Amino acid sequence: MSLSTKRFIYFYVSLLSFCIASVLISSCTRQHAASKSPGPKWEGFPKPESTGATLSTAQEWGQEPEWTTPKPSELPLEIIHKSPTSSEIYASAVLVAFNQPMVRLGKVKSRNEAPDRFPIQIHPPVKANYRWVAGNTLKAEFSKPAKNATRYTITIPANTSSLSGARLKEDHVWSFETLRPELNWVQPLPEKAQRADSIRPNDKFLLFFNIRVDPGSIKKHLVLEMNKKKIGYDLKKRKTEDEETLDRLYVLTPNRLMEKGASITIKTRPGIKTPEGPLSSIQKFKRDYQVYKPLTISLLCGGEEI
């Protein structure tokens, strides 16, 4: 048998097999469509727990599922995230996230809606833009950074309700604080004077605070000691054109020359106030210096001082 004859027979058998398979599949499809018996039922399966808008279980094959909203008793309303919650250097917004949708998603009508339309209270009051950044997250964005040295209290009132009708059982309250005054560092003056590990008897000291402070309050809570005994000092603001450091730099000048070889200590206790807010410092700052000792000459002979 020639090669061409074999190829013809192979092609014919393949074509015949394809036709038979097509007829069988078409017959099975018609029989299944003609049957009116229902499909298997969902029996013995536990119902899914409600965690939000849920899809109800279809009872029969081909049945359209239905979207249902959980009942308030099934899903209590809770706050799952809040910020800020402790000390915050520069607070510019408050965020509150709930465990279920609070509003329907859609186009924002206005960025300046009345604050009383939102379930949040901030004390002391601040100017802010309130909006839902998601269906379950409320944001109060401050028009300008919060005041320093201030404790802010946030309240989410009881009976705040979600879309499902679930309500908070009681007020949810928390607080955060902004930056308190602190003494950051001390620098002996003049700054360009050559020093080793010691200071000079006529040196002054530059005090650098993190925020504006009240000079009268500094005098009450900062102590200058020489050999563990208090000595007086004068305090003046350092002139600066930089608004960032305005009322933050002070020059401390001892009322007397510091003794050679003396130990000098600058320390603060809590209570330094700022005009920016009601909270005072809680910091305990301490810095020690040594005045250079009197010049001495020692002669050694055979390894011994004479």
Side-chain angles (χ1 to χ4, degrees):
M1 185 181 296
S2 64
L3 181 59
S4 59
T5 304
K6 290 181 179 180
R7 288 179 176 177
F8 175 79
I9 294 174
Y10 178 78
F11 173 78
Y12 180 79
V13 172
S14 299
L15 181 61
L16 182 61
S17 300
F18 175 79
C19 293
I20 294 173
S22 299
V23 171
L24 291 175
I25 291 173
S26 177
S27 176
C28 291
T29 302
R30 287 194 299 269
Q31 290 178 4
H32 179 73
S35 175
K36 295 183 179 180
S37 61
K41 294 185 178 180
W42 293 93
E43 297 178 352
F45 289 90
K47 294 183 179 181
E49 295 183 359
S50 298
T51 57
T54 58
L55 184 65
S56 62
T57 305
Q59 296 298 317
E60 297 182 356
W61 292 103
Q63 181 178 344
E64 289 292 330
E66 296 180 357
W67 288 96
T68 60
T69 302
K71 296 179 180 179
S73 59
E74 296 176 354
L75 186 64
L77 183 60
E78 298 176 353
I79 293 174
I80 58 176
H81 174 77
K82 57 193 178 187
S83 68
T85 56
S86 55
S87 296
E88 189 74 12
I89 297 178
Y90 300 111
S92 59
V94 173
L95 280 174
V96 185
F98 297 85
N99 66 332
Q100 55 184 284
M102 303 294 290
V103 295
R104 299 186 184 277
L105 297 178
K107 185 177 180 180
V108 176
K109 296 180 180 179
S110 172
R111 294 289 187 187
N112 299 308
E113 293 188 60
D116 56 9
R117 296 191 58 186
F118 297 89
I120 185 172
Q121 300 167 4
I122 303 177
H123 183 79
V126 296
K127 291 184 178 181
N129 292 326
Y130 298 80
R131 59 192 178 98
W132 293 97
V133 295
N136 71 326
T137 303
L138 175 61
K139 182 177 184 180
E141 188 171 7
F142 300 165
S143 301
K144 56 183 179 180
K147 293 181 179 180
N148 287 325
T150 303
R151 180 182 293 109
Y152 288 89
T153 301
I154 316 300
T155 302
I156 309 299
N159 292 322
T160 295
S161 62
S162 68
L163 279 178
S164 70
R167 296 178 179 273
L168 281 181
K169 295 181 179 180
E170 57 187 16
D171 289 352
H172 190 97
V173 183
W174 79 95
S175 300
F176 70 91
E177 293 182 358
T178 50
L179 202 61
R180 289 174 179 257
E182 290 184 354
L183 178 57
N184 282 352
W185 49 263
V186 178
Q187 171 69 48
L189 296 176
E191 297 171 274
K192 295 182 179 180
Q194 293 184 356
R195 298 181 180 85
D197 296 329
S198 303
I199 59 175
R200 305 181 306 172
N202 59 343
D203 276 350
K204 302 177 181 180
F205 300 92
L206 177 65
L207 312 178
F208 186 88
F209 291 86
N210 60 339
I211 60 176
R212 296 166 56 205
V213 290
D214 177 13
S217 181
I218 298 174
K219 292 280 289 186
K220 292 179 180 179
H221 298 87
L222 186 145
V223 176
L224 176 64
E225 293 180 346
M226 182 167 62
N227 294 329
K228 298 184 179 180
K229 294 182 179 180
K230 293 182 182 181
I231 61 173
Y233 62 86
D234 294 325
L235 192 69
K236 293 183 179 181
K237 292 182 184 180
R238 185 175 188 179
K239 295 180 180 180
T240 176
E241 296 180 358
D242 184 5
E243 293 186 1
E244 290 285 332
T245 58
L246 188 65
D247 296 335
R248 294 169 57 186
L249 294 176
Y250 289 84
V251 177
L252 183 153
T253 305
N255 285 344
R256 50 178 288 193
L257 284 178
M258 294 177 285
E259 299 173 3
K260 294 180 179 180
S263 61
I264 303 297
T265 301
I266 296 176
K267 58 185 180 181
T268 67
R269 62 177 185 269
I272 296 177
K273 296 182 179 181
T274 171
E276 299 185 27
L279 298 181
S280 58
S281 68
I282 56 175
Q283 174 201 38
K284 292 182 178 181
F285 179 94
K286 183 180 179 182
R287 181 68 187 272
D288 295 317
Y289 296 93
Q290 183 76 39
V291 183
Y292 68 75
K293 297 180 180 180
L295 178 63
T296 59
I297 299 176
S298 300
L299 297 178
L300 298 177
C301 181
E304 295 183 359
E305 184 176 346
I306 59 175

